[in-house]
Amino acid sequence: MNETRTTCPYCGVGCGVIASVAADGAVAVRGDPEHPANRGRLCSKGTALGDTLDPEPRLLHPEVDGERVGWDAALDTIASGIRAAIAQHGPESVAFYVSGQLLTEDYYVANKLMKGFLGSANIDTNSRLCMASAVAGHKRAFGADAVPGCYEDIERAKLVVLVGSNAAWCHPVLYQRLVQAKQDHPELRVVLIDPRRTATTEIADLHLSIRPGADAILFNGLLVHLAAHDETHALFVNAHTEGLDAALAAARASSPDIERVARDCGLEPEQVEAFFDLFARTERVVTLFSQGVNQTSSGTDKVNAIINCHLLTGRIGRPGMGPFSLTGQPNAMGGREVGGLANQLAAHFELDDPEQRAVVQDFWKAPAIAARAGPKAVEMFRAVEQGRIKVLWIMATNPAVSLPDAGQVQRALEKCELVIVSDCVRHTDTTRYAHVLLPAAAWGEKDGTVTNSERRLSRQRAFLPPAGEARPDWWIVAEVAKRLGYGAAFDHPNAAAIFREHAALSGVANDGARAFDISGLATLSDDGYAELAPIQWPVTAGQPQGTLRLFGDGAFFTPSGRANFVAITPRPPTHVTDTQYPLALNTGRTRDHWHTLTRTGYSARLSAHSIEPYVEMHPDDARVLGVNDGALARISSRWGKSSARVRLSESQRPGSVFAPMHWSDAFTSAGCIDAVVNPVTDPISGEPEFKHTPVRVEPLQPAWYGFLLSRRKLTPFGRHSGATARDGGSTGNAGAISIESRNPENILNDVIPASASQFPLHRGDCPIQFPLPQGECPIQSPPPQGEGEGGGGVKREIDSDTYWSVSRGPNLWRYELAGNDLPQDWATTARALLCAPDEKVEWIEYFDKAARRYRAARLANGKLESCIFVESSPVLPNRDWLAGLFALDSLDTPTRTGLLAGIPPKGSRDTGRQVCACFDVGETAIIEAIHSGCASAADIGARLKAGTNCGSCVPEIKILLAAVTQTKKIA
Ligand code: SF4
């Protein structure tokens, strides 16, 4: 078995992974015990990496206008499109939108082509969406985008403050290091500052459920408190900083005392005082901040409000202390190193400094150099819609889903004259708009470096051949550059050569002038690059082993060499809630998914935890709005609408709702929450305000709810029918829930009276006509696995007035459904949905007119192939036992008897919903373990292993423990 050391492609923790490929091609992964970031640990996503190498969704060959072409034709099309746009409209008419998923070498080449050869700074990255505020805050305070500390500091701290971070779900391995540190050092204190009570609250000694957006008020208050209580590190402040007086004056204006801070933050004065006192009396403090700080319209100010407190106390650059930005993406920092943001130049050179621009131009031997910053992500897509950008090349990202005001992004893509998309996935919400599609090498196939949140470079190494005709991103960009006449500058034979050039540039005219310097690696041989061990920058001749911490000597990268205090006047979120949109929407991640599901959505293990889009809200808000747990709701803002399943939770702060960012039109009919999010950005960093959009939540009351389990994927659903926006497919919610597009009054009128005794309703009974003529088979049935697309399928479409979401399960695809339109005849409709014509199948069904209930199952050779359950309410049988039947070769008589009742026969077991993704442990086993004596999460871990790997499910295990214990007490 071949083993390869590589790096996880998900979050900014940057865990080391050992991938093994068996003789039959099966890939297994385990944590790399030698990687300093994780020391062998992996979270649920990292553990399931092998599941996400599914070839089914891959883009395998280049396409132009929907037709398969060879690489030369695709690359020629791009080069001539770029050349024509520049000739007619100038270099500003071409833009690249790239990604923190790219490797540093890919990023370097793309940035070099745009800024040095096309001559504009029209390149920005989706990292703008996660950490641009941290970058801007670092530059204002330190004069450089540099994270001062390292992960080890978390273990050496006495107080860890987490601000706007659900690390338990979003940076799980780092969170586990914190959990371990607290176990090893019980005196370690943890404070969590987050409006929501999240899984991370589990470890917090103090949770401040702060009013959304009030973080700068709190940290200004802390600065005032520290100064008033003589916690200033006078030696450090006097020798190494400037601007304290102005910062203190601003802090005193906004946050004069604890009472005012508590009032404005929506906290109790005792809570604020407890936090301030803890911070004041603890020398070793690490403040970890993440998207809750960054993704706001005053994110940069919040970052500086935090840094101010560390500067005042001199708690920076020493073991166990410092402000620490947790990066979202695996290579967000690598992108920053090469200048992947529109306002940066490569290697920490300054774009607005003519001398520094000249140095880079000279190094690249480039014909031009961008002289001013390009548009940041949100602005870039506005420029596309306005027609100022004619050619847009999108690499390794899905902006049609992930940018705020996603409807605007889709309009922009539709209008753009030439959209090029390099991706490893064929059908995304963005590839629909592509004129040119380029198959990029995926994780496991590509070779390069990434940099994690602690400035640590690690190698991603290839261990699989590229799928189809896929090529590395750097190769693709370089081939276009060659066709544009820049061959000499882009003639890199491999990723190692690009890395050497990147490293050499970092050392040019540096000598300590710029934080980023890896010139110590500039002469690595190909073998040296292949074997490169994880190392933290700077890496120079003087520091060949890398650098654990920065700023310990009090030297900063500002012109004066001193760190800047920044005077902060806190600002509320740009758009405030009002009577029309009374709730504050906060968006973020779920436990087991990554970005827009293009990878994790293909893993049954990772899909089990959250099977569809949801909106979490406080029961008090739900009561007022008439929204029920488990029902469907519409979330709307001034920018757009989305639909999701309601989850009621006391963890939500009243007045706020939370929705995950992951779902796209590829996985659901109307779940893209970024269609709702306001496109407001921080004026300095350009980072969008994903954490605060005023919204309204209303109940949806479809006439029927259902679910469908099928061994075959019933594609296409909705927009991903193979038709693209370019060849006539609608860009709206084709095939999506039409409940979505109708006003609530009509929906209420459409609900069947509870007394209705006839089910299904016949045409004419229902105010909405079922759109399909009887007998027409409405879902496209794909060929069995292994056959090519389009072979032998029957054209099918789910009706256009239907809510659907799809998730992968073991041996099956699972569809959650609801609709306003009632079919003329459920029996005919269900057969049409699930059976191909002339197919020999065994069909069993159950029909209860009075209860308005329909259930059916299709078996082939005794094996369950699919089943559908329909009710008039969202209360439906548990899917988990039914899903488990797809693993059986045949169903015995008791199982068949229980099948349509949805009830397991005596003696068989319903695993219940999955709790632990790492070891696939369901709720039933955990409840049984509790009943049989397990009294703690540790007991359950010892018995079932649940919670013993990444630990992200431990909070859920504890909730089950509490619930069962409570039930026992009542009994
Ligand atoms: S914490 Fe999980 S997702 Fe993040 S890098 Fe490590 S294994 Fe990957």
Side-chain angles (χ1 to χ4, degrees):
M1 186 176 286
N2 292 323
E3 289 199 331
T4 305
R5 287 199 140 81
T6 182
T7 310
C8 174
Y10 293 123
C11 81
V13 178
C15 296
V17 168
I18 298 178
S20 317
V21 185
D24 65 356
V27 175
V29 299
R30 65 181 198 279
D32 182 350
E34 291 176 22
H35 198 289
N38 57 318
R39 299 176 193 145
R41 292 186 181 95
L42 289 179
C43 76
S44 54
K45 291 188 281 290
T47 306
L49 270 167
D51 300 1
T52 62
L53 301 171
D54 189 340
E56 191 237 310
R58 292 295 300 274
L59 172 62
L60 298 173
H61 46 71
E63 295 178 28
V64 173
D65 294 329
E67 299 293 326
R68 178 175 179 170
V69 297
W71 269 108
D72 280 337
L75 297 166
D76 290 346
T77 302
I78 296 167
S80 63
I82 291 175
R83 202 181 294 113
I86 291 176
Q88 236 184 313
H89 307 285
E92 312 277 325
S93 64
V94 178
F96 296 171
Y97 185 63
V98 299
S99 164
Q101 294 287 316
L102 292 179
L103 304 182
T104 300
E105 292 74 2
D106 304 322
Y107 248 134
Y108 179 85
V109 172
N111 185 59
K112 179 179 174 182
L113 175 60
M114 178 53 76
K115 293 200 179 119
F117 291 78
L118 301 187
S120 99
N122 278 10
I123 176 168
D124 210 44
T125 159
N126 64 4
S127 301
R128 176 75 62 192
L129 313 183
C130 75
M131 50 79 235
S133 296
V135 172
H138 290 158
K139 287 194 77 171
R140 287 205 302 189
F142 311 142
D145 172 24
V147 172
C150 58
Y151 293 162
E152 185 190 296
D153 289 331
I154 294 164
E155 286 141 351
R156 299 183 67 172
K158 299 287 181 210
L159 170 64
V160 172
V161 183
L162 291 137
V163 196
S165 163
N166 182 10
W169 283 14
C170 302
H171 298 92
V173 165
L174 204 59
Y175 175 76
Q176 281 310 306
R177 287 180 66 162
L178 179 59
V179 169
Q180 188 63 51
K182 199 157 163 50
Q183 280 168 11
D184 296 344
H185 307 285
E187 72 280 10
L188 169 63
R189 291 287 169 265
V190 177
V191 175
L192 174 66
I193 299 166
D194 193 322
R196 289 196 297 152
R197 201 168 71 225
T198 63
T200 304
T201 318
E202 179 64 32
I203 200 176
D205 299 287
L206 177 64
H207 172 212
L208 302 183
S209 176
I210 194 169
R211 176 173 294 144
D215 312 70
I217 296 172
L218 184 70
F219 279 90
N220 265 2
L222 177 59
L223 193 74
V224 171
H225 182 89
L226 293 168
H229 290 78
D230 208 16
E231 294 295 339
T232 303
H233 191 311
L235 268 179
F236 178 84
V237 169
N238 292 336
H240 302 301
T241 71
E242 54 196 6
L244 174 60
D245 290 348
L248 257 180
R252 287 188 181 117
S254 75
S255 311
D257 52 50
I258 284 178
E259 282 68 30
R260 173 84 174 273
V261 170
R263 188 196 75 190
D264 291 350
C265 292
L267 299 167
E268 295 301 324
E270 297 74 29
Q271 293 177 300
V272 175
E273 191 168 15
F275 168 51
F276 286 2
D277 283 349
L278 200 51
F279 196 105
R281 68 169 189 263
T282 312
E283 173 73 354
R284 292 189 175 191
V285 182
V286 170
T287 305
L288 296 168
F289 59 93
S290 189
Q291 319 306 22
V293 169
N294 294 337
Q295 290 180 332
T296 67
S297 58
S298 56
T300 308
D301 282 353
K302 290 174 182 174
V303 169
N304 286 109
I306 292 169
I307 293 173
N308 282 348
C309 296
H310 281 270
L311 292 178
L312 185 78
T313 50
R315 294 172 189 160
I316 191 163
R318 291 185 284 146
M321 57 187 81
F324 201 115
S325 155
L326 289 178
T327 313
Q329 294 221 64
N331 199 29
M333 196 181 288
R336 289 141 71 178
E337 293 158 8
V338 303
L341 292 164
N343 50 332
Q344 294 180 325
L345 207 49
H348 284 201
F349 283 98
E350 293 297 334
L351 189 62
D352 53 10
D353 181 325
E355 281 180 27
Q356 297 198 26
R357 286 202 304 269
V359 172
V360 178
Q361 183 175 4
D362 185 51
F363 179 85
W364 281 341
K365 298 187 179 31
I369 193 80
R372 62 172 184 273
K376 302 181 178 94
V378 171
E379 296 162 1
M380 179 182 282
F381 282 85
R382 284 193 189 128
V384 174
E385 189 179 15
Q386 289 160 3
R388 288 183 284 129
I389 291 173
K390 311 283 183 190
V391 177
L392 179 64
W393 189 347
I394 298 164
M395 301 178 203
T397 184
N398 194 2
V401 185
S402 55
L403 275 168
D405 193 8
Q408 186 277 328
V409 174
Q410 293 170 17
R411 286 195 304 276
L413 290 171
E414 188 143 270
K415 281 181 76 172
C416 188
E417 291 178 14
L418 177 57
V419 178
I420 304 146
V421 179
S422 311
D423 209 315
C424 44
V425 175
R426 173 60 184 86
H427 295 289
T428 72
D429 290 28
T430 301
T431 58
R432 299 187 73 247
Y433 297 93
H435 299 90
V436 182
L437 274 173
L438 305 170
W443 181 80
E445 300 165 3
K446 56 186 185 179
D447 207 30
T449 52
V450 291
T451 309
N452 72 2
S453 296
E454 61 167 353
R455 293 174 280 105
R456 189 178 296 281
L457 278 76
S458 297
R459 290 278 281 107
Q460 259 196 33
R461 296 181 174 92
F463 54 88
L464 294 170
E469 296 175 29
R471 296 284 184 275
D473 285 284
W474 67 261
W475 180 89
I476 300 171
V477 175
E479 286 299 312
V480 170
K482 288 174 191 169
R483 282 162 173 79
L484 291 168
Y486 309 129
F490 290 86
D491 207 12
H492 307 100
N494 52 28
I498 300 167
F499 181 82
R500 283 190 288 270
E501 183 179 313
H502 163 55
L505 177 59
S506 76
V508 172
N510 197 333
D511 201 20
R514 301 188 309 281
F516 179 70
D517 187 345
I518 55 167
S519 54
L521 302 171
T523 55
L524 270 187
S525 64
D526 285 3
D527 287 346
Y529 178 74
E531 288 159 17
L532 180 65
I535 189 165
Q536 285 173 282
W537 61 259
V539 188
T540 60
Q543 292 162 288
Q545 303 307 318
T547 309
L548 208 53
R549 294 182 189 85
L550 296 170
F551 312 135
D553 57 358
F556 293 87
F557 294 94
T558 54
S560 65
R562 291 167 174 261
N564 287 319
F565 282 94
V566 180
I568 302 300
T569 301
R571 284 176 285 122
T574 301
H575 294 289
V576 295
T577 53
D578 54 25
T579 49
Q580 211 183 348
Y581 297 100
L583 299 166
L585 169 69
N586 171 12
T587 62
R589 292 183 187 160
T590 60
R591 195 187 74 184
D592 294 339
H593 275 314
W594 176 257
H595 284 192
T596 60
L597 304 182
T598 51
R599 275 198 294 241
T600 55
Y602 291 89
S603 162
R605 246 194 301 180
L606 296 177
S607 297
H609 185 255
S610 296
I611 59 161
E612 62 182 332
Y614 64 87
V615 56
E616 197 172 271
M617 61 194 304
H618 194 278
D620 291 349
D621 290 333
R623 208 170 298 122
V624 172
L625 297 167
V627 175
N628 295 321
D629 196 27
L632 291 167
R634 175 171 53 193
I635 309 122
S636 41
S637 72
R638 291 189 170 85
W639 294 269
K641 298 169 187 168
S642 178
S643 298
R645 189 77 56 180
V646 175
R647 288 188 189 177
L648 299 188
S649 169
E650 305 236 336
S651 300
Q652 274 302 321
R653 191 184 158 90
S656 298
V657 298
F658 172 82
M661 57 171 278
H662 309 291
W663 276 269
S664 66
D665 285 352
F667 287 84
T668 186
S669 54
C672 174
I673 198 67
D674 282 325
V676 179
V677 171
N678 55 197
V680 169
T681 59
D682 179 296
I684 301 164
S685 70
E687 182 152 352
E689 186 149 68
F690 286 106
K691 296 298 182 189
H692 196 284
T693 302
V695 297
R696 184 168 68 224
V697 176
E698 298 157 297
L700 291 175
Q701 293 178 291
W704 59 272
Y705 289 84
F707 68 84
L708 189 161
L709 308 178
S710 174
R711 198 177 292 279
R712 299 187 300 200
K713 189 176 184 190
L714 303 178
T715 54
F717 260 91
R719 295 172 44 172
H720 293 269
S721 59
T724 71
R726 297 281 169 214
D727 49 41
S730 163
T731 57
N733 281 327
I737 186 166
S738 63
I739 298 169
E740 170 69 5
S741 61
R742 302 165 58 197
N743 70 48
E745 291 74 29
N746 287 346
I747 293 165
L748 289 171
N749 291 338
D750 295 343
V751 175
I752 312 166
S755 59
S757 59
Q758 187 183 35
F759 180 69
L761 294 175
H762 290 287
R763 201 183 290 267
D765 294 329
C766 182
I768 305 163
Q769 298 294 307
F770 187 64
L772 299 164
Q774 194 172 354
E776 185 173 328
C777 211
I779 290 183
Q780 179 74 42
S781 173
Q785 268 196 344
E787 289 184 30
E789 242 181 78
V794 179
K795 185 178 183 314
R796 305 168 183 201
E797 291 167 355
I798 201 84
D799 76 77
S800 63
D801 206 13
T802 303
Y803 166 88
W804 62 267
S805 72
V806 60
S807 62
R808 188 165 226 171
N811 309 300
L812 78 155
W813 292 91
R814 170 176 167 164
Y815 299 85
E816 294 295 321
L817 305 168
N820 271 352
D821 290 352
L822 285 160
Q824 188 175 13
D825 173 357
W826 265 114
T828 305
T829 302
R831 282 178 173 79
L833 286 169
L834 299 175
C835 309
D838 306 325
E839 193 179 27
K840 291 226 177 316
V841 293
E842 185 184 350
W843 183 258
I844 54 176
E845 64 187 340
Y846 163 76
F847 192 20
D848 183 338
K849 279 188 182 177
R852 295 183 292 155
R853 173 177 299 142
Y854 177 79
R855 298 172 180 186
R858 183 173 71 95
L859 293 91
N861 302 319
K863 228 172 160 178
L864 182 60
E865 290 296 318
S866 51
C867 59
I868 181 168
F869 286 67
V870 177
E871 295 277 341
S872 57
S873 83
V875 181
L876 284 147
N878 190 323
R879 286 78 159 160
D880 301 300
W881 172 69
L882 290 164
L885 302 182
F886 284 78
L888 304 178
D889 285 336
S890 66
L891 305 187
D892 60 21
T893 306
T895 303
R896 280 165 175 261
T897 309
L899 176 60
L900 292 189
I903 299 170
K906 223 174 166 184
S908 58
R909 202 152 168 277
D910 182 352
T911 56
R913 90 185 155 87
Q914 184 204 65
V915 176
C916 173
C918 297
F919 296 109
D920 196 16
V921 181
E923 193 174 64
T924 307
I926 294 171
I927 291 171
E928 285 172 1
I930 299 168
H931 279 297
S932 68
C934 288
S936 66
D939 288 350
I940 287 165
R943 171 99 44 106
L944 303 171
K945 292 174 83 176
T948 59
N949 184 38
C950 74
S952 297
C953 62
V954 169
E956 288 166 70
I957 293 172
K958 289 188 175 173
I959 289 169
L960 286 173
L961 272 160
V964 175
T965 310
Q966 179 70 15
T967 313
K968 276 173 154 177
K969 273 188 198 154
I970 293 167

